[in-house]
Amino acid sequence: MLPDPIDQFRQWFDAAVAAGIPEPTAMTLATATRDGHPSARMVLLKGVDARGFIFFTNYQSRKGRELDENPHAALVFHWTQLGRQIRVTGRVSKIDAPESDAYFHSRALGSRFSAAVSRQSEVIESREALERALAGLKARYPEGGPPRPTYWGGYVVEPDEIEFWQQGDHRLHDRLRYRRVDSDWIVDRLSP
């Protein structure tokens, strides 16, 4: 294992991409309310750097509201074909507006319209009402697409702990946990 868990993540992620795993960026994101009621859903990893793991969403969605109340989260990557799993826990913060703008404008036009029209996690009248709102937005922005909504952008999960799990014979798995202590990473081997 490499001394830096972000480098180790990149190595395993590159192996998942090379293996042709469908949606290697898919990760479970678990959040919780202020009083600890959890929820989880699948999101897509859109970047990883020295800060941590980056994803984008509607800030007013359930996950966004929960992250406002309790800015801690957990991520899980599971690549069955490789017998590997990575768990991440850490503090979550919004990325800056220019970085959110850059990613938003790199998305396919249809995805930009979808993000702009969606009031994610809110009850809607009907599918038809959603499609009418989309048609109105497309008429309003016929060229170039809509601007990034202020309620949509990126988050970074800044890891405190990252665990790498490798499937072993007869359930004798390998588990290595990196824990951040000040500015250093301490690596522990965990019992399967």
Side-chain angles (χ1 to χ4, degrees), residues 4-6 48-54 73 75 87-92 156-163 178-182 184-185:
D4 185 299
I6 298 296
V48 62
D49 60 27
R51 296 171 296 174
F53 300 82
I54 299 167
L75 305 173
R87 295 185 324 112
V88 178
T89 58
R91 185 164 181 79
V92 182
V156 61
V157 179
E158 303 163 18
D160 297 321
E161 189 174 292
I162 304 176
E163 180 187 320
Y178 292 74
R179 290 179 296 122
R180 190 186 303 269
V181 177
D182 298 320
D184 296 320
W185 288 100

Side-chain angles (χ1 to χ4, degrees), residues 12-31:
W12 276 26
F13 179 79
D14 291 346
V17 171
I21 291 176
E23 289 294 355
T25 63
M27 59 186 185
T28 301
L29 167 67
T31 57

Side-chain angles (χ1 to χ4, degrees), residues 5 10 21 65 83 90 108-109 117-118 126 133 162 173 177 181 187-188 191:
R10 286 186 181 116
I21 291 176
R65 293 190 311 267
L109 183 59
V117 78
S118 176
S126 65
I162 304 176
H173 313 306
R177 178 185 62 194
V181 177
V187 182
D188 300 306
S191 180

Side-chain angles (χ1 to χ4, degrees), residues 4-185:
D4 185 299
I6 298 296
D7 293 338
Q8 185 63 50
F9 173 83
R10 286 186 181 116
Q11 187 179 79
W12 276 26
F13 179 79
D14 291 346
V17 171
I21 291 176
E23 289 294 355
T25 63
M27 59 186 185
T28 301
L29 167 67
T31 57
T33 59
R34 182 178 293 111
D35 55 354
H37 294 277
S39 63
R41 76 287 291 152
M42 300 301 293
V43 298
L44 299 178
L45 176 71
K46 292 300 179 180
V48 62
D49 60 27
R51 296 171 296 174
F53 300 82
I54 299 167
F55 67 94
F56 292 83
T57 192
N58 185 315
Y59 293 143
Q60 297 171 349
S61 65
R62 179 176 176 174
K63 63 183 133 349
R65 293 190 311 267
E66 289 176 355
L67 289 169
D68 280 345
E69 291 181 16
N70 179 356
H72 296 86
L75 305 173
V76 178
F77 296 87
H78 186 226
W79 302 311
T80 305
Q81 299 91 324
L82 298 178
R84 289 180 171 172
Q85 175 177 272
I86 301 171
R87 295 185 324 112
V88 178
T89 58
R91 185 164 181 79
V92 182
S93 59
K94 290 178 181 173
I95 63 174
D96 64 28
E99 190 174 357
S100 288
D101 287 339
Y103 175 70
F104 184 79
H105 293 293
S106 76
R107 300 177 84 201
L109 183 59
S111 294
R112 285 183 272 153
F113 275 114
S114 292
V117 78
S118 176
R119 299 296 182 250
Q120 196 176 67
S121 303
E122 290 184 17
V123 174
I124 59 174
E125 176 188 328
S126 65
R127 176 71 187 198
E128 293 75 22
L130 180 63
E131 290 175 359
R132 280 193 306 275
L134 178 60
L137 190 63
K138 285 181 175 180
R140 187 171 168 202
Y141 297 101
E143 293 183 29
R148 179 182 66 86
T150 57
Y151 54 81
W152 190 96
Y155 287 100
V156 61
V157 179
E158 303 163 18
D160 297 321
E161 189 174 292
I162 304 176
E163 180 187 320
F164 294 85
W165 177 95
Q166 176 70 58
Q167 183 176 349
D169 291 337
H170 308 291
R171 303 188 63 77
L172 200 61
H173 313 306
D174 278 324
R175 293 176 63 194
L176 293 168
R177 178 185 62 194
Y178 292 74
R179 290 179 296 122
R180 190 186 303 269
V181 177
D182 298 320
S183 60
D184 296 320
W185 288 100

